[in-house]
């Protein structure tokens, strides 16, 4: 585990609750920062975490990555660990990808290890204790997929919502790279976040309709255009469901109903 020097208040509470077989992570309030169904830890319990995996439909083939020699993604950077939901899922279902997880609070990492089945570090998984904005600004390499899900106890993104941060993420994507960001659709700063992401990606972004929880997942791409017919996305979603149990067909139906498609395709 790598550690960087931090200028960050680490003293906020980190709490755990359980209800109906689901364990929840909180930062001193009722607001949920992450969740895990105890008997099915590799499932993605929260709807927005499932939708963040839609990148596998946009750049991948809708299947788990079978071998280290091929497929997309080969490399993933995750900024914000929370209850380790994305980390567990990717580590389990996409074994061909190497994961780097950046979390600012070492106490969150310890809690994820103790209570949320965080996988052990290995050649496939590196945990870095650092400010995500500093980490990406100083990075010297690129990743196929960058996932950003970072909020403080007051549901603020801080520097992880700045246009400078989004631009740095875009700079550190590979030719077929994808940036995925969890936004709060009911937050008064939501449209500002959308605009900053649009500016940083030169307009090559799309925001999925808000989930019932209010989370809205945004995607931005580099290199090859994303221009995927809905029929192909549905076929990949069916393959992904068969391979992993993750069902993104409802997400595609919501995209179609919201008018987010260009004709019968998702384009950005």
């Amino acid at each position: 585990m790598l550690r960087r020097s931090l200028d960050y208040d680490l003293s906020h509470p980190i709490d755990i609750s359980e209800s109906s077989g689901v364990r929840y992570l909180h930062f001193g309030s009722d607001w949920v920062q992450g969740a895990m169904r105890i008997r099915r830890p590799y499932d993605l319990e929260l709807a927005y975490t499932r939708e963040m995996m839609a990148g596998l439909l946009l750049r991948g083939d809708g299947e788990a990555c079978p071998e280290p020699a091929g497929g997309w993604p080969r490399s993933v950077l995750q900024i914000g660990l929370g209850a380790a939901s994305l980390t567990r899922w990717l580590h389990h279902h996409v074994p061909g990808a190497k994961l780097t997880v950046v979390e600012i609070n070492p106490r969150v990492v310890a809690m994820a290890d103790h209570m949320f089945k965080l996988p052990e570090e290995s050649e496939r998984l590196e945990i870095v204790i650092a400010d995500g904005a500093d980490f990406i600004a100083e990075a010297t390499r690129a990743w196929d997929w960058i996932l950003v899900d970072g909020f403080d106890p007051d549901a603020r993104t801080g520097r992880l919502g700045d246009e400078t941060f989004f631009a740095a993420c875009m700079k550190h994507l590979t030719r077929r790279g994808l940036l995925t960001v969890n936004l709060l659709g009911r937050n008064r700063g939501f449209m500002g976040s959308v605009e900053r992401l649009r500016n940083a990606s030169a307009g090559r972004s799309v925001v999925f309709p808000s989930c019932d929880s209010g989370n809205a997942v945004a995607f931005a791409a580099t290199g090859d255009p994303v221009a995927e017919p809905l029929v192909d996305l549905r076929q990949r979603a069916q393959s992904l469901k068969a391979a992993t149990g993750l069902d993104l067909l409802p997400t595609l139906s919501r995209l179609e109903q919201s008018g987010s498609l260009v004709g019968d395709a998702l384009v950005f």
Side-chain angles (χ1 to χ4, degrees), residues 8-254:
Y8 178 77
D9 182 5
L10 303 176
S11 63
H12 64 74
I14 300 176
D15 305 316
I16 301 295
S17 67
E18 291 186 11
S19 176
S20 302
V22 179
R23 182 172 294 159
Y24 298 95
L25 175 69
H26 312 268
F27 290 165
S29 72
D30 291 335
W31 190 56
V32 173
Q33 295 277 356
M36 179 186 74
R37 185 162 295 277
I38 296 170
R39 297 188 66 176
R40 298 201 302 271
Y42 299 115
D43 288 0
L44 291 171
E45 183 66 22
L46 301 180
Y48 86 88
T49 60
R50 297 193 291 270
E51 296 206 345
M52 290 186 78
M53 292 297 95
L56 293 171
L57 308 183
L58 304 178
R59 287 302 199 200
D61 57 9
E63 298 181 359
C65 193
E67 298 291 343
W72 187 99
R74 310 298 337 131
S75 56
V76 180
L77 171 63
Q78 179 188 336
I79 297 178
L81 175 65
S85 301
L86 301 178
T87 308
R88 282 193 312 276
W89 196 92
L90 288 165
H91 190 267
H92 184 72
H93 290 295
V94 192
K98 291 188 176 181
L99 313 178
T100 301
V101 180
V102 178
E103 168 56 49
I104 196 169
N105 192 337
R107 294 167 58 231
V108 171
V109 176
M111 185 65 73
D113 182 39
H114 182 57
M115 300 295 292
F116 292 98
K117 297 186 182 295
L118 175 66
E120 292 185 3
E121 286 193 87
S122 65
E123 291 185 356
R124 292 178 48 218
L125 173 61
E126 177 186 29
I127 307 294
V128 180
I129 305 298
D131 183 302
D134 288 339
F135 179 88
I136 196 67
E138 299 167 5
T140 58
R141 56 160 297 184
W143 290 266
D144 290 337
W145 199 1
I146 298 177
L147 300 153
V148 180
D149 183 17
F151 296 92
D152 70 11
D154 298 313
R156 297 173 302 194
T157 59
R159 296 169 65 202
L160 300 186
D162 291 348
E163 187 171 329
T164 299
F165 170 74
F166 290 146
C169 288
M170 299 301 295
K171 177 182 176 182
H172 290 287
L173 289 172
T174 59
R175 184 180 61 83
R176 297 184 67 241
L178 200 66
L179 170 64
T180 303
V181 184
N182 174 32
L183 303 174
L184 294 181
R186 297 172 185 167
N187 189 303
R188 65 181 180 179
F190 170 69
M191 291 309 301
S193 297
V194 171
E195 184 66 20
R196 289 189 290 274
L197 181 60
R198 182 180 296 117
N199 291 339
S201 63
R204 293 197 54 195
S205 63
V206 64
V207 182
F208 282 16
S210 293
C211 306
D212 290 341
S213 62
N215 298 77
V217 178
F219 295 86
T222 57
D224 298 342
V226 174
E228 300 295 340
L230 182 60
V231 63
D232 290 349
L233 292 174
R234 288 192 185 281
Q235 184 175 11
R236 292 173 190 169
Q238 289 167 351
S239 297
L240 184 65
K241 182 179 180 181
T244 69
L246 176 60
D247 187 4
L248 289 175
L249 291 168
T251 294
L252 297 180
S253 295
R254 289 172 53 245

